[in-house]
Coordinates of all heavy atoms in Angstrom, one line a residue:
S19 N 28.1 -11.9 12.9 CA 28.9 -11.3 11.9 C 29.0 -9.7 12.1 O 28.1 -9.2 12.8 CB 28.3 -11.6 10.5 OG 27.1 -10.9 10.2
W20 N 29.9 -9.1 11.5 CA 30.1 -7.7 11.7 C 28.9 -6.9 11.1 O 28.4 -5.9 11.7 CB 31.4 -7.2 11.0 CG 32.6 -7.5 11.8 CD1 33.4 -8.6 11.6 CD2 33.1 -6.8 12.9 NE1 34.4 -8.6 12.5 CE2 34.2 -7.4 13.3 CE3 32.7 -5.6 13.5 CZ2 35.0 -7.0 14.4 CZ3 33.4 -5.2 14.6 CH2 34.5 -5.8 15.0
R21 N 28.4 -7.4 10.0 CA 27.3 -6.7 9.3 C 26.1 -6.7 10.2 O 25.4 -5.7 10.4 CB 27.0 -7.3 8.0 CG 25.9 -6.7 7.3 CD 25.6 -7.3 5.9 NE 24.3 -6.8 5.4 CZ 24.1 -6.5 4.2 NH1 25.0 -6.8 3.3 NH2 22.9 -6.0 3.8
A22 N 25.7 -7.9 10.8 CA 24.6 -8.0 11.6 C 24.8 -7.1 12.9 O 23.8 -6.5 13.3 CB 24.4 -9.5 12.0
A23 N 26.0 -7.1 13.4 CA 26.2 -6.3 14.6 C 26.1 -4.8 14.3 O 25.5 -4.0 15.1 CB 27.6 -6.5 15.1
L24 N 26.6 -4.4 13.1 CA 26.4 -3.0 12.7 C 25.0 -2.6 12.5 O 24.5 -1.5 12.9 CB 27.3 -2.7 11.5 CG 28.8 -2.6 11.8 CD1 29.5 -2.4 10.5 CD2 29.1 -1.4 12.7
L25 N 24.3 -3.5 11.8 CA 22.8 -3.2 11.5 C 22.0 -3.1 12.8 O 21.2 -2.3 13.0 CB 22.3 -4.2 10.5 CG 22.7 -4.1 9.1 CD1 22.2 -5.2 8.3 CD2 22.3 -2.7 8.5
G26 N 22.3 -4.1 13.7 CA 21.6 -4.1 15.0 C 21.9 -2.8 15.8 O 21.0 -2.3 16.4
G27 N 23.2 -2.5 15.8 CA 23.5 -1.2 16.6 C 22.9 0.0 16.0 O 22.5 0.9 16.7
A28 N 22.9 0.1 14.6 CA 22.3 1.3 14.0 C 20.8 1.3 14.2 O 20.3 2.4 14.5 CB 22.6 1.2 12.5
F29 N 20.2 0.2 14.2 CA 18.7 0.1 14.5 C 18.4 0.6 15.9 O 17.6 1.4 16.1 CB 18.2 -1.3 14.2 CG 16.7 -1.4 14.5 CD1 15.8 -0.8 13.6 CD2 16.2 -2.1 15.6 CE1 14.4 -0.9 13.8 CE2 14.9 -2.2 15.8 CZ 14.0 -1.6 14.9
Q30 N 19.2 0.1 16.8 CA 19.0 0.4 18.2 C 19.3 1.9 18.5 O 18.6 2.6 19.2 CB 19.9 -0.4 19.2 CG 19.6 -0.1 20.6 CD 20.4 -1.1 21.5 OE1 21.1 -2.0 21.1 NE2 20.2 -0.9 22.8
F31 N 20.3 2.4 17.8 CA 20.6 3.9 17.9 C 19.5 4.7 17.4 O 19.1 5.7 18.0 CB 21.9 4.2 17.2 CG 22.3 5.6 17.2 CD1 22.9 6.2 18.3 CD2 22.0 6.4 16.1 CE1 23.2 7.6 18.3 CE2 22.3 7.8 16.0 CZ 22.9 8.4 17.1
A32 N 18.9 4.3 16.2 CA 17.9 5.0 15.6 C 16.6 5.1 16.5 O 16.1 6.2 16.7 CB 17.5 4.4 14.2
Y33 N 16.2 4.0 17.0 CA 14.9 4.1 17.8 C 15.2 4.7 19.2 O 14.3 5.3 19.7 CB 14.2 2.7 17.9 CG 14.7 1.7 18.8 CD1 14.5 1.8 20.2 CD2 15.3 0.5 18.3 CE1 15.0 0.8 21.1 CE2 15.8 -0.5 19.2 CZ 15.6 -0.3 20.5 OH 16.0 -1.3 21.4
T34 N 16.4 4.6 19.7 CA 16.7 5.3 20.9 C 16.8 6.8 20.7 O 16.3 7.6 21.5 CB 18.1 4.8 21.5 OG1 18.0 3.4 21.7 CG2 18.5 5.5 22.8
F35 N 17.3 7.2 19.6 CA 17.3 8.6 19.2 C 15.9 9.2 19.1 O 15.6 10.3 19.6 CB 18.1 8.9 17.9 CG 18.1 10.3 17.5 CD1 19.0 11.2 18.0 CD2 17.2 10.7 16.5 CE1 19.0 12.5 17.6 CE2 17.2 12.0 16.1 CZ 18.1 12.9 16.6
V36 N 15.1 8.5 18.4 CA 13.7 8.9 18.2 C 13.0 9.0 19.5 O 12.3 10.0 19.8 CB 12.9 8.0 17.2 CG1 11.4 8.3 17.2 CG2 13.5 8.1 15.8
F37 N 13.2 8.0 20.4 CA 12.5 8.1 21.7 C 13.1 9.2 22.5 O 12.3 9.9 23.3 CB 12.7 6.8 22.5 CG 12.0 6.8 23.8 CD1 10.6 6.7 23.9 CD2 12.7 7.1 25.0 CE1 10.0 6.8 25.1 CE2 12.1 7.2 26.2 CZ 10.7 7.1 26.3
G38 N 14.4 9.5 22.5 CA 15.0 10.6 23.2 C 14.4 11.9 22.7 O 14.1 12.8 23.5
A39 N 14.2 12.1 21.4 CA 13.6 13.3 20.9 C 12.2 13.5 21.4 O 11.7 14.6 21.7 CB 13.7 13.3 19.4
Y40 N 11.4 12.4 21.4 CA 10.1 12.4 21.9 C 10.0 12.7 23.4 O 9.2 13.6 23.8 CB 9.4 11.0 21.6 CG 8.0 10.9 22.2 CD1 7.0 11.7 21.8 CD2 7.8 9.9 23.2 CE1 5.7 11.6 22.4 CE2 6.5 9.8 23.8 CZ 5.5 10.6 23.3 OH 4.3 10.5 23.9
A41 N 10.9 12.2 24.2 CA 11.0 12.5 25.6 C 11.3 13.9 25.8 O 10.8 14.6 26.7 CB 11.9 11.5 26.3
A42 N 12.3 14.4 25.1 CA 12.6 15.9 25.2 C 11.4 16.8 24.8 O 11.2 17.8 25.5 CB 13.8 16.2 24.3
C43 N 10.7 16.4 23.8 CA 9.5 17.1 23.4 C 8.5 17.1 24.5 O 7.9 18.1 24.8 CB 8.9 16.5 22.1 SG 7.4 17.3 21.6
L44 N 8.3 16.0 25.1 CA 7.3 15.9 26.2 C 7.8 16.8 27.4 O 7.0 17.5 28.0 CB 7.2 14.4 26.7 CG 6.5 13.5 25.9 CD1 6.5 12.1 26.5 CD2 5.0 13.9 25.7
L45 N 9.1 16.8 27.7 CA 9.6 17.6 28.8 C 9.4 19.1 28.5 O 8.9 19.8 29.3 CB 11.1 17.3 29.0 CG 11.7 18.1 30.1 CD1 11.2 17.8 31.5 CD2 13.2 17.9 30.1
L46 N 9.7 19.5 27.3 CA 9.5 20.9 26.9 C 8.1 21.4 26.8 O 7.7 22.5 27.2 CB 10.3 21.2 25.6 CG 11.8 21.0 25.6 CD1 12.4 21.2 24.2 CD2 12.4 22.0 26.6
C47 N 7.2 20.5 26.3 CA 5.8 20.9 26.1 C 5.1 20.9 27.4 O 4.2 21.7 27.7 CB 5.1 19.9 25.2 SG 5.7 20.1 23.4
T48 N 5.3 19.9 28.3 CA 4.6 19.8 29.5 C 5.2 20.5 30.7 O 4.6 20.8 31.7 CB 4.4 18.3 30.0 OG1 5.7 17.8 30.2 CG2 3.7 17.5 28.9
R49 N 6.5 20.9 30.6 CA 7.3 21.5 31.6 C 7.3 20.7 32.9 O 7.2 21.2 34.0 CB 6.8 22.9 31.9 CG 6.9 23.8 30.7 CD 6.4 25.2 31.0 NE 6.4 26.0 29.7 CZ 5.4 26.7 29.4 NH1 4.3 26.8 30.1 NH2 5.5 27.4 28.2
S50 N 7.2 19.4 32.8 CA 7.2 18.5 33.9 C 8.0 17.2 33.6 O 8.0 16.8 32.4 CB 5.7 18.2 34.2 OG 5.6 17.1 35.2
L51 N 8.6 16.6 34.6 CA 9.3 15.4 34.4 C 8.3 14.2 34.4 O 8.7 13.1 34.0 CB 10.3 15.2 35.5 CG 11.6 15.9 35.4 CD1 12.5 15.7 36.6 CD2 12.3 15.5 34.1
L52 N 7.0 14.4 34.8 CA 6.1 13.3 34.9 C 5.8 12.7 33.5 O 5.9 11.4 33.4 CB 4.8 13.8 35.5 CG 3.7 12.8 35.6 CD1 4.1 11.7 36.6 CD2 2.4 13.5 36.0
A53 N 5.6 13.4 32.5 CA 5.2 12.9 31.2 C 6.4 12.1 30.6 O 6.1 10.9 30.2 CB 4.8 14.0 30.2
P54 N 7.6 12.6 30.5 CA 8.6 11.7 29.9 C 9.0 10.5 30.8 O 9.3 9.4 30.3 CB 9.9 12.6 29.8 CG 9.6 13.8 30.6 CD 8.1 13.9 30.7
T55 N 8.8 10.6 32.1 CA 9.0 9.5 33.0 C 8.0 8.4 32.8 O 8.4 7.2 32.7 CB 9.0 10.0 34.5 OG1 10.0 11.0 34.7 CG2 9.3 8.8 35.4
V56 N 6.7 8.8 32.7 CA 5.7 7.8 32.4 C 5.9 7.2 31.1 O 5.7 6.0 30.9 CB 4.3 8.5 32.6 CG1 3.2 7.5 32.0 CG2 4.0 8.8 34.0
A57 N 6.2 8.0 30.1 CA 6.5 7.4 28.7 C 7.7 6.4 28.7 O 7.6 5.4 28.1 CB 6.8 8.6 27.7
H58 N 8.7 6.7 29.5 CA 9.9 5.9 29.6 C 9.5 4.6 30.3 O 9.9 3.5 29.8 CB 11.0 6.6 30.3 CG 12.3 5.9 30.1 ND1 12.7 4.8 30.9 CD2 13.3 6.1 29.3 CE1 13.9 4.4 30.5 NE2 14.3 5.2 29.5
V59 N 8.7 4.7 31.4 CA 8.3 3.5 32.1 C 7.4 2.6 31.2 O 7.6 1.4 31.1 CB 7.6 3.8 33.4 CG1 6.9 2.7 34.0 CG2 8.5 4.5 34.4
F60 N 6.5 3.2 30.5 CA 5.6 2.5 29.6 C 6.4 1.8 28.5 O 6.2 0.6 28.2 CB 4.6 3.4 29.0 CG 3.6 2.7 28.1 CD1 2.6 1.9 28.6 CD2 3.7 2.9 26.7 CE1 1.8 1.2 27.8 CE2 2.9 2.2 25.9 CZ 1.9 1.4 26.4
C61 N 7.4 2.5 28.0 CA 8.2 2.0 26.9 C 9.0 0.8 27.4 O 9.1 -0.2 26.7 CB 9.1 3.1 26.4 SG 9.6 2.9 24.6
N62 N 9.6 0.9 28.6 CA 10.3 -0.2 29.1 C 9.4 -1.4 29.4 O 9.8 -2.6 29.3 CB 11.1 0.2 30.4 CG 12.3 1.1 30.1 OD1 12.8 1.1 29.0 ND2 12.7 1.8 31.2
W63 N 8.2 -1.1 29.9 CA 7.3 -2.2 30.3 C 6.9 -3.0 29.0 O 6.8 -4.2 29.0 CB 6.1 -1.6 31.0 CG 5.0 -2.6 31.4 CD1 5.2 -3.8 32.0 CD2 3.7 -2.5 31.1 NE1 4.0 -4.4 32.2 CE2 3.0 -3.6 31.6 CE3 2.9 -1.6 30.4 CZ2 1.7 -3.9 31.5 CZ3 1.5 -1.8 30.3 CH2 0.9 -2.9 30.9
M64 N 6.5 -2.2 27.9 CA 6.0 -2.8 26.7 C 7.1 -3.5 25.9 O 6.9 -4.5 25.3 CB 5.3 -1.8 25.8 CG 4.0 -1.3 26.4 SD 2.8 -2.6 26.7 CE 2.4 -3.0 25.0
G65 N 8.3 -2.9 25.9 CA 9.4 -3.4 25.1 C 9.2 -3.1 23.6 O 8.2 -2.5 23.3
F66 N 10.2 -3.4 22.8 CA 10.1 -3.2 21.4 C 9.0 -4.1 20.8 O 9.0 -5.3 21.2 CB 11.4 -3.3 20.7 CG 11.4 -2.7 19.4 CD1 11.6 -1.3 19.3 CD2 11.3 -3.4 18.2 CE1 11.6 -0.7 18.0 CE2 11.3 -2.8 17.0 CZ 11.5 -1.4 16.9
P67 N 8.2 -3.6 19.9 CA 7.2 -4.5 19.3 C 7.8 -5.8 18.7 O 8.7 -5.7 17.9 CB 6.5 -3.6 18.3 CG 6.8 -2.3 18.7 CD 8.1 -2.3 19.4
D68 N 7.2 -6.9 19.0 CA 7.6 -8.2 18.4 C 6.5 -8.7 17.5 O 5.6 -9.3 18.0 CB 7.9 -9.2 19.5 CG 8.5 -10.5 19.0 OD1 9.0 -10.4 17.8 OD2 8.5 -11.5 19.7
V69 N 6.7 -8.4 16.2 CA 5.6 -8.8 15.3 C 5.8 -10.2 14.9 O 6.8 -10.6 14.3 CB 5.6 -7.9 14.0 CG1 4.6 -8.3 13.1 CG2 5.5 -6.4 14.4
D70 N 4.9 -11.1 15.3 CA 5.0 -12.5 15.1 C 4.7 -12.8 13.6 O 3.6 -12.4 13.1 CB 4.1 -13.3 16.0 CG 4.3 -14.7 16.0 OD1 5.3 -15.2 15.5 OD2 3.4 -15.4 16.5
R71 N 5.5 -13.6 13.0 CA 5.3 -13.9 11.6 C 4.0 -14.7 11.3 O 3.3 -14.5 10.3 CB 6.5 -14.6 11.0 CG 7.7 -13.8 10.9 CD 8.8 -14.5 10.2 NE 10.0 -13.7 10.2 CZ 11.2 -14.1 10.5 NH1 11.4 -15.3 10.8 NH2 12.2 -13.2 10.5
R72 N 3.6 -15.5 12.3 CA 2.4 -16.3 12.2 C 1.2 -15.4 12.1 O 0.3 -15.6 11.3 CB 2.3 -17.3 13.3 CG 3.3 -18.5 13.2 CD 3.2 -19.3 14.4 NE 3.8 -18.6 15.5 CZ 3.6 -18.8 16.7 NH1 2.8 -19.8 17.1 NH2 4.3 -18.1 17.7
V73 N 1.2 -14.4 13.0 CA 0.0 -13.4 13.0 C 0.0 -12.6 11.7 O -1.0 -12.4 11.1 CB 0.1 -12.5 14.2 CG1 -1.0 -11.4 14.1 CG2 0.0 -13.3 15.5
A74 N 1.2 -12.2 11.2 CA 1.3 -11.5 10.0 C 0.8 -12.3 8.8 O 0.2 -11.8 7.9 CB 2.7 -11.0 9.7
R75 N 1.1 -13.6 8.8 CA 0.6 -14.4 7.7 C -0.9 -14.7 7.7 O -1.5 -14.7 6.7 CB 1.4 -15.8 7.7 CG 2.7 -15.7 7.0 CD 3.2 -17.1 6.8 NE 4.5 -17.1 7.4 CZ 5.0 -18.0 8.2 NH1 4.4 -19.1 8.4 NH2 6.2 -17.9 8.7
R76 N -1.4 -14.9 8.9 CA -2.8 -15.2 9.1 C -3.7 -14.0 8.9 O -4.8 -14.0 8.3 CB -3.1 -15.9 10.4 CG -2.6 -17.3 10.5 CD -3.1 -17.9 11.8 NE -2.3 -19.0 12.2 CZ -2.2 -19.4 13.4 NH1 -3.0 -18.9 14.4 NH2 -1.5 -20.4 13.7
H77 N -3.3 -12.9 9.6 CA -4.2 -11.7 9.7 C -3.4 -10.4 9.4 O -3.3 -9.6 10.2 CB -4.8 -11.6 11.0 CG -5.5 -12.8 11.5 ND1 -6.7 -13.2 10.9 CD2 -5.2 -13.7 12.5 CE1 -7.1 -14.3 11.5 NE2 -6.2 -14.7 12.4
P78 N -2.9 -10.3 8.1 CA -2.1 -9.1 7.9 C -3.0 -7.8 8.0 O -2.5 -6.7 8.3 CB -1.6 -9.3 6.4 CG -2.5 -10.3 5.8 CD -3.0 -11.1 7.0
W79 N -4.2 -7.9 7.7 CA -5.1 -6.7 7.8 C -5.3 -6.3 9.2 O -5.4 -5.1 9.5 CB -6.5 -7.1 7.2 CG -7.1 -8.3 7.8 CD1 -7.0 -9.6 7.5 CD2 -7.9 -8.3 9.0 NE1 -7.7 -10.4 8.3 CE2 -8.2 -9.6 9.3 CE3 -8.4 -7.3 9.9 CZ2 -9.0 -10.0 10.4 CZ3 -9.2 -7.7 10.9 CH2 -9.5 -9.0 11.2
L80 N -5.2 -7.2 10.2 CA -5.3 -6.9 11.6 C -4.1 -6.1 12.0 O -4.2 -5.1 12.8 CB -5.5 -8.1 12.4 CG -5.7 -7.9 13.9 CD1 -7.0 -7.1 14.2 CD2 -5.8 -9.3 14.6
L81 N -2.9 -6.5 11.6 CA -1.7 -5.8 12.0 C -1.7 -4.4 11.4 O -1.4 -3.4 12.0 CB -0.5 -6.5 11.5 CG -0.1 -7.7 12.4 CD1 1.1 -8.5 11.8 CD2 0.2 -7.3 13.8
A82 N -2.2 -4.3 10.1 CA -2.2 -3.0 9.4 C -3.2 -2.1 10.1 O -2.9 -0.9 10.3 CB -2.6 -3.2 8.0
A83 N -4.4 -2.6 10.5 CA -5.4 -1.8 11.1 C -4.9 -1.3 12.5 O -5.1 -0.2 12.9 CB -6.7 -2.6 11.3
A84 N -4.2 -2.2 13.3 CA -3.7 -1.8 14.6 C -2.6 -0.7 14.4 O -2.6 0.2 15.2 CB -3.2 -3.0 15.3
F85 N -1.8 -0.8 13.4 CA -0.8 0.1 13.2 C -1.4 1.5 12.8 O -1.0 2.5 13.4 CB 0.1 -0.3 12.0 CG 1.3 0.6 11.7 CD1 2.3 0.8 12.5 CD2 1.2 1.3 10.5 CE1 3.4 1.6 12.2 CE2 2.2 2.2 10.2 CZ 3.3 2.4 11.1
V86 N -2.3 1.5 11.9 CA -3.0 2.8 11.5 C -3.7 3.4 12.7 O -3.7 4.6 12.9 CB -3.9 2.5 10.3 CG1 -4.8 3.7 10.0 CG2 -3.1 2.2 9.1
A87 N -4.4 2.5 13.5 CA -5.2 3.0 14.7 C -4.2 3.6 15.7 O -4.5 4.7 16.3 CB -6.0 1.9 15.3
G88 N -3.1 3.0 15.9 CA -2.1 3.5 16.8 C -1.5 4.8 16.4 O -1.3 5.8 17.2
L89 N -1.2 4.9 15.1 CA -0.6 6.2 14.6 C -1.7 7.3 14.7 O -1.4 8.5 15.0 CB -0.2 6.0 13.1 CG 1.2 5.4 12.9 CD1 1.5 5.3 11.4 CD2 2.3 6.2 13.6
G90 N -2.9 7.0 14.4 CA -4.0 8.0 14.4 C -4.2 8.5 15.9 O -4.4 9.6 16.1
A91 N -4.2 7.5 16.8 CA -4.4 7.9 18.2 C -3.2 8.8 18.7 O -3.4 9.8 19.4 CB -4.5 6.7 19.1
F92 N -2.0 8.4 18.3 CA -0.8 9.2 18.7 C -0.9 10.6 18.1 O -0.7 11.6 18.9 CB 0.4 8.5 18.2 CG 1.7 9.2 18.6 CD1 2.2 9.2 19.8 CD2 2.3 10.0 17.6 CE1 3.4 9.8 20.2 CE2 3.5 10.7 17.9 CZ 4.0 10.6 19.2
A93 N -1.2 10.7 16.9 CA -1.3 12.0 16.2 C -2.5 12.9 16.8 O -2.3 14.1 17.0 CB -1.5 11.9 14.7
T94 N -3.6 12.2 17.1 CA -4.7 12.9 17.7 C -4.5 13.4 19.1 O -4.9 14.5 19.5 CB -6.0 12.1 17.6 OG1 -6.2 11.6 16.2 CG2 -7.2 12.8 18.1
L95 N -3.9 12.6 19.9 CA -3.7 12.9 21.3 C -2.5 13.6 21.7 O -2.3 14.0 22.9 CB -3.9 11.6 22.1 CG -5.2 10.9 22.0 CD1 -5.2 9.5 22.7 CD2 -6.3 11.7 22.6
L96 N -1.5 13.7 20.8 CA -0.2 14.3 21.2 C -0.3 15.7 21.7 O 0.1 16.0 22.8 CB 0.8 14.2 20.0 CG 2.2 14.8 20.3 CD1 2.9 14.0 21.4 CD2 3.0 14.9 19.1
V97 N -1.0 16.5 21.0 CA -1.1 18.0 21.4 C -2.0 18.1 22.6 O -1.6 18.8 23.6 CB -1.6 18.8 20.2 CG1 -2.0 20.2 20.6 CG2 -0.6 18.8 19.1
P98 N -3.2 17.5 22.7 CA -4.1 17.7 23.9 C -3.4 17.2 25.1 O -3.5 17.7 26.2 CB -5.3 17.0 23.6 CG -5.4 16.7 22.1 CD -4.0 16.8 21.7
L99 N -2.7 16.1 25.1 CA -2.1 15.5 26.3 C -0.8 16.1 26.6 O -0.2 15.7 27.7 CB -2.0 13.9 26.1 CG -3.3 13.2 26.0 CD1 -3.0 11.7 25.9 CD2 -4.1 13.4 27.3
T100 N -0.2 17.0 25.8 CA 1.0 17.6 26.2 C 0.8 19.1 26.6 O 1.7 19.9 26.7 CB 2.0 17.6 25.1 OG1 1.5 18.2 23.9 CG2 2.5 16.2 24.8
D101 N -0.5 19.4 26.9 CA -0.8 20.8 27.4 C -0.2 20.9 28.8 O -0.5 20.1 29.7 CB -2.3 21.0 27.4 CG -2.7 22.4 27.8 OD1 -1.8 23.2 27.9 OD2 -3.9 22.6 28.0
A102 N 0.6 22.0 29.0 CA 1.3 22.2 30.2 C 0.3 22.3 31.4 O 0.6 22.0 32.5 CB 2.2 23.4 30.1
A103 N -0.9 22.8 31.1 CA -1.9 23.0 32.2 C -2.3 21.7 32.8 O -2.7 21.7 34.0 CB -3.1 23.7 31.6
L104 N -2.2 20.6 32.1 CA -2.5 19.3 32.7 C -1.5 18.8 33.8 O -1.8 18.0 34.6 CB -2.6 18.2 31.6 CG -3.7 18.3 30.6 CD1 -3.5 17.3 29.5 CD2 -5.0 18.1 31.3
Y105 N -0.3 19.4 33.7 CA 0.7 18.9 34.6 C 1.1 19.9 35.7 O 2.2 19.7 36.3 CB 2.0 18.6 33.7 CG 1.6 17.5 32.7 CD1 1.2 17.8 31.5 CD2 1.8 16.2 33.1 CE1 0.9 16.8 30.6 CE2 1.4 15.2 32.2 CZ 1.0 15.5 30.9 OH 0.7 14.5 30.0
T106 N 0.3 20.9 35.9 CA 0.7 21.9 36.9 C -0.3 21.8 38.1 O -1.3 21.3 38.0 CB 0.7 23.3 36.4 OG1 -0.6 23.6 35.8 CG2 1.8 23.5 35.4

C-alpha cells in the first residue's frame, strides 16, 4: 500500500540520514577516511537490527540491558576513539 511504502521510505531516509551525519562527524573528528569507512563496512556487515519477537517475549530484560549497554559504550567511547591522533 502507499502508506506502507511511504512509512518504509521515511524510516530508511531517517536512519540513512543519521548514519550520514555520524560518518561526517567521524570524518571531521578523525581527519581520516579510515574511521567512516570502517563504520560503513561494519554497518553493512551487521545490517539493520532485527529484533525477534520471540526473544522480546521471553527475555525483554535482556534486550533492554543490551540496548542500554550499547548506548553506554557508544557514549563512553565516541570521544576517545575519534581523537585525530589515533589516525595519523
Side-chain angles (χ1 to χ4, degrees):
S19 70
W20 282 98
R21 180 181 169 141
L24 286 175
L25 286 175
F29 180 72
Q30 186 173 0
F31 177 79
Y33 78 74
T34 301
F35 176 81
V36 169
F37 181 77
Y40 174 63
C43 175
L44 287 176
L45 179 66
L46 294 174
C47 289
T48 64
R49 299 183 187 129
S50 169
L51 282 174
L52 180 64
T55 301
V56 169
H58 195 277
V59 168
F60 181 75
C61 209
N62 285 345
W63 178 53
M64 292 299 293
F66 197 79
D68 185 20
V69 180
D70 190 13
R71 290 186 183 134
R72 288 175 286 159
V73 175
R75 273 189 239 138
R76 287 187 204 162
H77 307 290
W79 56 270
L80 184 60
L81 286 176
F85 180 73
V86 170
L89 280 178
F92 180 80
T94 303
L95 296 172
L96 180 64
V97 172
L99 291 180
T100 57
D101 184 11
L104 291 173
Y105 300 91
T106 57

